[in-house]
Structures are given as structure tokens and as C-alpha cells.
Amino acid sequence: MPFFSGIKKSLCLLLTCFWVFVLQAQKCDFVISGQVQALGQPMPNAHVLIVETQQGLQSDAEGRFAFNGLCEGEYTLSCTHLNCEHLQQRIVLKHNESINISLNPHSYNLEQVLVQAQRNDNLAAKNSLSGADLEATQGIGLGESLRRLPGVSTLNTGASIAKPVIQGLHSNRIVLFNNGVRQEGQQWGAEHAPEIDPFASAKITVVRGAASVRYGADALGGVLLFEPQAIRSAKGLGGELQMQGFSNGRGGVASGMLEGRLSEKLPLSGRVQGTLKRQGNLQTPDYFLNNTGLSESNFSWTTRYQPKRGFVETYYSRFYNQLGILSDAHIGNLTDLQNAIDRGRPLSDGQFSYDLNRPQQRILHELVKLKGAHELKQGQVSFQVSRQFNRRQEYDSHRRFNPLPETLDEPSIEFELTTWAAELAWEYRRKHWRGSTGLSSQHQRNTTDRGALLPNYQNLDWGIFWTESWRKNENPWQVEFGFRYDQRRLETSTQGNRVLEEDRNFSGFSGNMGAVYHFSPSFLLRYQLGTAWRSPHVSELFSNGVHHGTASFETGNASLQAERALKQGLSLEWKAQNRQHSANLSLYYNVINDFIYLEPQARPQLTIRGAFPAFAYAQNDARIMGLDWTAQVDLGKGWFLEQRLALINGWNRNLNDYLVYMPPLRLEQGLRWYFKAQKEQEQKAFVRINAQWTARQNMAPDTDFAPPPAGYFRLDAELFYPLKVGKQNWEMGLSAFNLLNTRYRDYLDRLRYFAQAPGRNVALRLKIPF
């Protein structure tokens, strides 16, 4: 089968590229070890860095760390933790040193939704993106940032709309948490990107595997955590300004943040943040993509009152963007549609413009959160209440039937979704055990104000969860288990002019278990087994009409049942103690009964609004398996070799055929060189070149409108340089995406039928703290 052939080729590539892991013996044998603490308690997952050598590691579950193989000399230890202030400590190393690092907490209790993930960091398979690697892509878009995470790809609708895909699963099978709140919008659509400002997050973490117990029963694919920068804890005022510009689309972004804290007597902190973005038509190597610009404006504020044994926090965010959809994707009749697919490019070469015409989308998302926690002797109790409002407007390429001027700005379809959610949780710790239990509830009401693609409906969900984890520092084993029970009730009322009174009830248990065995401080084996379930979304049950954002006609299936998944994951991880070598191989096998998918139909659909590719929701048993590989080799003298590989096979067990829209084989090879840093600099300047090879998707069904596109090679480059301006540490970055201006189409792009992917894009960014 092509899958096993791909495995053989991939392993050959890995063996060829990984020969440099044969290391030379080190003469230096001094050790710096110790423990990270805050308020007398050990702090796991603190990042400890030796500035001069750029060696870094995370403290273990007991807050301990150790650097081996060091030479005699002077070193600067830099310690950071999401929950504490940054600390630097100078050490003169003449013999083995054992030290304690005491951090000053500005928020000793992590956000409730993040605590469990961080405490079980060695159990859950997770990867994070932060710092310069995140900031280099924030202005381009959330999709470009997500693609830098191992095991994550994106399902695109053109270049401006991207949805995360984790190990072959996306949309309602991926759970997103934005600042501790589960993100709820119209995420069912393939072109409905997350309504999240990338500049509001200092860290993006993907948690793969059986994470459903803590985050929700429907996290079949995984969880994405968008974590903001810790709010200021020291008295005073500060902030930062970020500016970015892009050559392709002639776009620009400005994002600013201002925060402050009153005093120790009144421990009240606050922050305001905002982002403005504007972009015109994008360009491929051969032509412009008409009507692919965007306009975006975002705003948020946070207040936090934190006495000694607890905190109360309020948060508000507003996200609004207006983005154009490629005009050549909306076709008037069946003949023109087939000709457009056969032609594979727009009729004209187009031109640059900032105008946003029909078809387009306008999305508004608001979030309000109230969170509080109280520290107990051995744990904490917390509560959280949130409200989200999401309005999505989609505009066809034509006006409504009435040609009067006042109808120009009327959307073809409009959804308004209001979500209320609450959670009460108790976290506790006793000796070598840590656990949590709690209740969660959510109510949603959706109104379809224009069009009849979806009915009016409301959801009522509630769930109860319990998790336990065990870790004894001197024991090589680490274990975790958890259970969850959820109920969901769906009620529909009307769909356009039709009365659709449906009442559906779903319920089920989910659970997971995990174990880690540490062969040595450098090498561990992780195994996870989990089961989860997901009820069908109202869009999958009752869709009926043109989905203008994807230029497609979608039909639901009222007989769909709940999905049930059983997933296994096995991973091997190795991190060198004396140098920054690392490797991670993850294997997964996911069996999903009653898997729901959007299947392309053999014939397009002709409507009074034009001709559109037709899709229908279907349900079959599925199997998804694959592997993720990441590695880093320290070549010495500041040079690092980076490698990532992802291979996925999706199989329809009922039809004995491949699943549609599975990511193709992707291999990335990067080379990074760090400049020699000044003593006062925490971050080193670097240059990085990344080569990405994406294969043709040969494991795809024959039901698509066009065969999968050819594989392609893409080269990216990046420069990061910190600047010392007076007493401030500025940051400058220069990035080139698709440096060679390669012509290509991506299999996961829903608009690949009509046009190429964008060409070269050079981005310049500047970050100014104050």
C-alpha cells in the first residue's frame, strides 16, 4: 500500500538526515543542578536557560533541573515561568554547583484550564510555540503560526482563512481555549477560522492524544491552548508596540499593549491591548488573486485583583475582521464551473487593490470572562463564568434580488451565536498524587437571521470530570487516569420558511489513561489510551443550501449518530543532557466509529445564485494512523539542524477507500545559526533557513472534483536580531515566505481548484518595549 511505501521512504530520509547524532565525547564534566521554587513550593515546567551556551531545559515535576558536561567559567542562569517573574542568576563555576532558584509569583495559581496540562506535561504529548518563532508569523496570520507546531497542518480557504488540523482531524474535533475559555463560534465550517487575535497570545500549545477528560468529550483530535503573557506583577507602567509590514498584499499590522499595577497594598493589575491589520489582493507568481484582501481590528482588556491566597480576574475581548473571498471561485453556471476547474486559474491576471467586494465574510466575536480562585492548604477551588457572542455574515458574489442601493450591504446568510458557560473545579494534591474534579455547563442559542443554510437552534450541555496523576520523583514511572460524563440536548425550531422542530439527546462517558517510563533523565517512553465521543453538529444534521464562504452547496444528514473514538499513542523522547540534541517519534492509531465527513458529490449543484461544487455529509467507520517526528541536532558553534516529518493515513473502513482531506506527507529540514550574544542579552540573534517538501496526496479517494495537485518544494528564511536602544531591548525580524516564488497548490486548500497559492512574501517586523 502507498502508506507503507511512504513509511519506508520516510525512514530512509530520517536515517540519512540524522547521521549527525553521533556525538563527540565531551571533556568538560561539571554539573549545575538545583530546584526552582515559588513561595516555598516546587515549580514544575519552569524554563531554565544558560545564556552563554543557549542550553535550556524544563524543571521536572518536583521543580528540579540539572545541566551536565559544563566547562569551568562564568555562566548566567535565566529562569522563566508563565506564572512568575523572570529571574537571572550569575554563577562562577569551578566545581559542581547545587542551587535553589526562588521565583517571585505574580500569579501563583495558573489558569484553571492550563493547570492540568502543565502538571501532566510529561504525560500529555504537547508542543509549544512562543518567543521569536511565534512573533515571526503573528502578522501573516494564525494559520502560518499553527503550521510551525509539530503534527499540525491547516485546512485553508485561500491564503487568509486557515483552520488547525491535528493528526488528520479538524473543526469540531479540535478544542481551542482562548485565555482559559473554550472558544465557541461557527467552527463547523471549513472556512471558519478561529476568531482569535494572534498578538494577544504569548504562547500557543498543542496537546495531542487522549486529552478529552479535562478539556471536553469532543477533543478527539487534540487541544490548542492560546495563552496570554502573564500580567504585570511589579508596581509601575509598561507595554510594547509591534509593527509589521508585508510585500505580498502590501499589508501592515500594528499591535500595542499597555499594562500596569498599583501597589502591594492594593494588588490590582490591568492591561489593554489592540491590533489593526490591513491587506490588499494577494499575488501568485503569475497573477493577482482578485478580492483576497482583508481588514481586521481587535481589542481586549484584563483586570486582576490578587491578594495572598487567591485572585479575581475579569477579561474582555472583541475580534472583528472583514475578508474577501476569491471572486473567481463563484461561478454562474455548470459549464463555466467545469471550465474554471479545468483551466485552474482565473480568466484574467487581475490587479492589486485594497477594495473588499463580494463575495466576502464579516465576523464579530466578543468574549467576557470572570474567573476567581482561592488557595487551600493542599490545593485550590476555582470558578469561571463566561459569555461569548459570535456574528458571522457571508456575502454572495451577487446582491440580493432587489437591485436597490440599500441592499448592497445585506448579507446572503447571517448567524448569531450566544454561548454562556460556567465551571466549578477543585484541585488537590497529597504526597505523590495530584487530582481535580469539577462540573461544567454550557448553553448556546443560534439564530439564522438571513438565509436557510442552518436552522435556529439551542444546545444545553453539562458534564462532570475527575482526573488523577501520580509521580514519585525517584520512581521511573508516572501514571494518569481520568473519567468524564457529558450530556447534550439539541433543539431546533425553524429553517428559513420551514418548521423544523427536532429534539435530539446525546450522552456518554469518556476516559483516558497514560503512563510514562523514564529509562534515564534523557530518555522516556510514553503510552496513552483514550476514548472520546462527539455528537453531530447541527450543520452536519440539517445543512441545506449554498455555503458562500466556501463557494459550495452543502447537504446535511438527519440520520447521523454520535461518533465514538478509541485512540492509542506511543512516543519515544530523547533529550541530551550535555548539549541541545533532542528527538521525538510519536505513533498513533485512532479508530472512529460513525465518523462524520463532508463528501464531494459527483455532480455540481446548480442554483439561482449560480453553480457550485456539491458536498454532502456522510457517516462511516474510519481509521486514522500516522507518525510525527521531530529532531534537533546541536552542530556546535551556534549551528543547529532541525527536522520534522508528518505522515498520515486515513481509511474509510466501510467503503474500503481513503478518507478525503487528509494531510499529505510533509518533511521539513531547517538550519539555524545563532550569533554570539552580548552578555546583557537574554536572546541571541539568529538566521534560519527552512526547506519544506510536501508530497502529492496519493492516498485520496477518486470522488473529488479534481485530482490532488502535484507535490511541491517551498523554501523560507528568517532573521531575528535584538537591538539595544538606550536601556530598552528592541527586536527586529526579517522573514521571507516562499523565498523561491514557487508555483504550487496545496491539497488542503479548498480554493486550489481555481488558483495557485500565493507567491513570495517578505515580512519586516519591529517590537519596541517601553
Side-chain angles (χ1 to χ4, degrees), residues 222-329:
V223 180
L224 281 168
L225 308 176
F226 295 84
E227 309 171 35
Q229 178 179 325
I231 199 167
R232 186 183 182 98
S233 60
K235 180 181 177 181
L237 193 66
E240 65 181 32
L241 175 64
Q242 296 192 57
M243 296 177 290
Q244 300 190 17
F246 318 100
S247 62
N248 201 336
R250 305 176 196 176
V253 181
S255 182
M257 183 268 291
L258 180 67
E259 62 179 358
R261 182 180 172 99
L262 293 180
S263 65
E264 294 300 324
K265 294 183 178 180
L266 184 59
L268 181 64
S269 303
R271 171 190 294 156
V272 293
Q273 182 268 342
T275 302
L276 294 174
K277 182 176 181 179
R278 192 73 169 93
Q279 173 191 293
N281 288 343
L282 296 170
Q283 186 177 14
T284 73
D286 299 316
Y287 46 82
F288 282 97
L289 300 169
N290 284 331
N291 198 44
T292 53
L294 65 85
S295 174
E296 186 172 308
S297 59
N298 308 315
F299 172 77
S300 67
W301 58 258
T302 305
T303 63
R304 187 181 186 96
Y305 175 72
Q306 183 157 0
K308 291 183 178 181
R309 299 191 62 84
F311 70 87
V312 176
E313 180 181 279
T314 58
Y315 175 75
Y316 170 81
S317 68
R318 182 185 187 275
F319 174 96
Y320 179 79
N321 76 352
Q322 179 182 359
L323 50 92
I325 305 296
L326 178 67
S327 56
D328 295 272

Side-chain angles (χ1 to χ4, degrees), residues 153-157 163-171 173 190 550 552 554 595 597-601 613-616 624 648-650 658-664 697 699-701 703-709 746-753:
S153 51
T154 56
L155 181 64
N156 303 314
T157 302
K163 294 181 69 69
V165 180
I166 302 177
Q167 295 180 341
L169 299 176
H170 59 83
S171 300
R173 301 181 185 94
T550 56
S552 62
E554 297 179 3
F595 180 76
Y597 62 100
L598 197 58
E599 183 179 38
Q601 301 300 290
F615 297 83
I624 300 175
I648 301 176
N649 174 266
Y658 296 110
L659 291 177
V660 70
Y661 297 131
M662 289 288 113
Q697 180 53 286
M699 295 181 288
T703 56
D704 208 343
F705 299 104
D746 195 285
Y747 175 70
L748 294 183
D749 189 347
R750 293 287 294 271
L751 299 186
R752 64 178 170 85
Y753 307 112

Side-chain angles (χ1 to χ4, degrees), residues 42 107 124 145 149 178 252 281 291-292 294 345 348 374 403 426 429 459 486 518-519 523 540 620 637 659 688 747:
S107 169
S145 299
L149 289 164
N178 180 18
N281 288 343
N291 198 44
T292 53
L294 65 85
R345 58 154 296 158
S348 68
H374 179 71
W426 173 40
R429 53 185 182 273
N459 279 324
D486 290 270
H518 298 262
F519 295 96
F523 183 54
E540 298 165 331
N620 279 306
K637 297 183 179 181
L659 291 177
R688 178 175 181 264
Y747 175 70

Side-chain angles (χ1 to χ4, degrees), residues 82 207 303 306 395 526 622 624 635 640 658 765:
L82 179 67
V207 182
T303 63
Q306 183 157 0
Y395 295 77
R526 174 188 293 115
I624 300 175
L635 302 176
F640 290 85
Y658 296 110
R765 66 182 181 88

Side-chain angles (χ1 to χ4, degrees), residues 335-345 705-706 753-754:
T335 301
D336 289 345
L337 175 61
Q338 189 59 52
N339 290 338
I341 294 175
D342 295 339
R343 186 172 60 248
R345 58 154 296 158
F705 299 104
Y753 307 112
F754 309 106

